[in-house]
Amino acid sequence: MKKDLLSLLDLEKEDLIHLLERALQFKKRFNQGIADRNLTGKTLGLIFDKKSTRTRVAFETAMIQLGGTPIYMSTQDTQISRNEPACDTARVLSRYMDVLAMRTFDHEMVEEFAAASSIPVINALTDLFHPCQILSDIMTVIETKGGYQGKKIVWVGDGNNVANSWINAAAILDFELTVATPEAYQVPEQIRLNALERGGRQIVFSNDPKEAVKNADVIYTDVWASMGQEHEQDTRVGDFDGFQVNKELVSKAKDDVTVMHCLPAHRGEEITEEILEAPGAVFWDQAENKRHMHKAILETLILNNQK
Ligand code: CP
Ligand code: NVA
């Protein structure tokens, strides 16, 4: 039966661990010059309704390197923009392709596609979640910290799609997560409840970034206004006062703390230039690891659908 990846909660713990191990293997083999061509003859469709640099290119290069073919479609260039229903588009694309990665505003849109298609659907970011991002970020935590188990990861910023996916990951894997947001920008209550139901006991919610980062192994931040919220930008800059990841905040964490950001970053807003350009920064490793993780995701979902 086909499996989709719309939220990390779609995964069992062993699925998640498999993806991490497989992505690390793909990276190692790629760096040794070994070409894995496991997806020769397969086609990945990418339907993107929002801008993307990393996710799109990482999916496209992952598919090409595995021997397959990516086809990028902006929703504006498809009949979706002329209101062809998701259930019809999904059934049609299922006749051409082997897997679909989608970036949309409404999360319900990817759910509708997944329900109607016979091929796996991957969430490449919605307003609600960004699961592939967190998978590759945990891979970066493993490389940088030697493992994620028992580590304290602290989210500082908006309670957004990336934060929601960190919460989902913490509900499944054994690390501590503290989520520090301004009170008016907390993650939705339902996200917290779902995580709790799944076993995420080590998740702490806070409105005090200075307190939250104490003893942190990783500090993670993201833009204050996500795609689709640009009109709130000015208000948010005021509302997030005190939530900037800068030298002072970082100095309150562990001495060897790693700062992470999914990018794109707004220098001087959620993070300073100094932190972004610090020696040993892992932001570019995070971006690279998306390609290796996307290989693991594509391979797992496509091969699983053939069984
Ligand atoms: N981190 C990330 O998803 O970047 P893009 O928006 O460039 O894909
Ligand atoms: N929260 C950001 C992430 C971008 C990768 C957004 O949704 O715009």
Side-chain angles (χ1 to χ4, degrees):
M1 212 189 79
K2 74 136 177 169
K3 262 195 168 178
D4 304 297
L5 176 48
L6 308 187
S7 154
L8 290 179
L9 294 184
D10 292 343
L11 300 174
E12 297 302 325
K13 187 173 182 176
E14 58 266 26
D15 300 333
L16 227 153
I17 291 170
H18 166 77
L19 289 174
L20 291 167
E21 287 174 353
R22 193 69 183 123
L24 285 161
Q25 239 172 31
F26 271 127
K27 182 171 185 174
K28 192 169 168 197
R29 288 168 64 82
F30 184 83
N31 289 340
Q32 289 170 339
I34 301 167
D36 286 301
R37 312 288 289 172
N38 316 6
L39 299 183
T40 301
K42 304 293 181 195
T43 308
L44 159 70
L46 298 119
I47 300 187
F48 277 44
D49 202 17
K50 286 175 171 170
K51 310 264 187 252
S52 171
T53 298
R54 281 146 286 268
T55 309
R56 172 185 172 176
V57 179
F59 264 120
E60 292 192 0
T61 48
M63 195 61 180
I64 293 166
Q65 287 172 6
L66 289 182
T69 306
I71 298 180
Y72 178 81
M73 292 160 279
S74 148
T75 48
Q76 285 314 307
D77 300 330
T78 67
Q79 300 287 8
I80 298 170
S81 65
R82 295 181 58 248
N83 297 326
E84 183 168 15
C87 59
D88 292 358
T89 311
R91 279 179 290 179
V92 170
L93 293 179
S94 296
R95 301 290 178 106
Y96 302 138
M97 289 164 172
D98 300 284
V99 62
L100 203 55
M102 298 189 67
R103 174 167 284 201
T104 63
F105 289 88
D106 290 341
H107 187 73
E108 291 71 28
M109 174 94 157
V110 294
E111 289 180 335
E112 279 177 43
F113 263 80
S117 74
S118 58
I119 57 173
V121 174
I122 301 167
N123 175 358
L125 182 146
T126 63
D127 286 348
L128 198 59
F129 296 125
H130 196 1
C132 302
Q133 179 69 45
I134 275 53
L135 286 170
S136 53
D137 288 337
I138 296 173
M139 180 183 169
T140 309
V141 172
I142 294 172
E143 289 178 333
T144 315
K145 300 301 202 191
Y148 57 80
Q149 294 88 342
K151 296 286 182 276
K152 179 176 176 183
I153 297 177
V154 180
W155 176 270
V156 177
D158 185 24
N160 65 15
N161 44 9
V162 179
N164 292 343
S165 286
W166 268 113
I167 291 167
N168 288 346
I172 303 170
L173 296 178
D174 311 315
F175 61 86
E176 276 180 54
L177 180 69
T178 298
V179 180
T181 64
E183 213 172 330
Y185 295 94
Q186 288 177 162
V187 300
E189 183 62 18
Q190 196 55 47
I191 299 286
R192 300 180 191 214
L193 293 175
N194 291 348
L196 205 62
E197 197 180 308
R198 187 69 186 264
R201 313 239 170 270
Q202 307 196 74
I203 308 175
V204 174
F205 294 92
S206 158
N207 304 127
D208 180 350
K210 290 194 178 73
E211 187 60 32
V213 300
K214 279 188 189 158
N215 210 31
D217 295 289
V218 173
I219 296 175
Y220 198 111
T221 191
D222 183 17
V223 291
W224 291 335
S226 286
M227 288 180 276
Q229 298 171 334
E230 289 82 359
H231 59 286
E232 297 176 23
Q233 173 72 22
D234 292 347
T235 319
R236 283 174 176 253
V237 167
D239 292 349
F240 282 82
D241 188 32
F243 280 79
Q244 185 185 64
V245 175
N246 53 31
K247 204 171 160 191
E248 197 209 329
L249 190 71
V250 170
S251 72
K252 300 189 186 313
K254 277 190 181 162
D255 289 344
D256 66 346
V257 66
T258 300
V259 180
M260 298 178 73
H261 192 310
C262 55
L263 305 179
H266 289 176
R267 285 170 160 76
E269 288 182 23
E270 77 277 1
I271 192 163
T272 57
E273 171 91 15
E274 187 180 21
I275 299 293
L276 264 178
E277 298 297 345
V282 300
F283 309 111
W284 327 110
D285 298 317
Q286 286 182 255
E288 176 188 334
N289 284 341
K290 286 169 74 78
R291 174 166 52 91
H292 306 296
M293 178 50 75
H294 290 179
K295 283 185 184 174
I297 294 168
L298 291 169
E299 178 197 62
T300 304
L301 294 184
I302 292 176
L303 299 185
N304 182 62
N305 200 29
Q306 289 174 345
K307 281 180 197 158

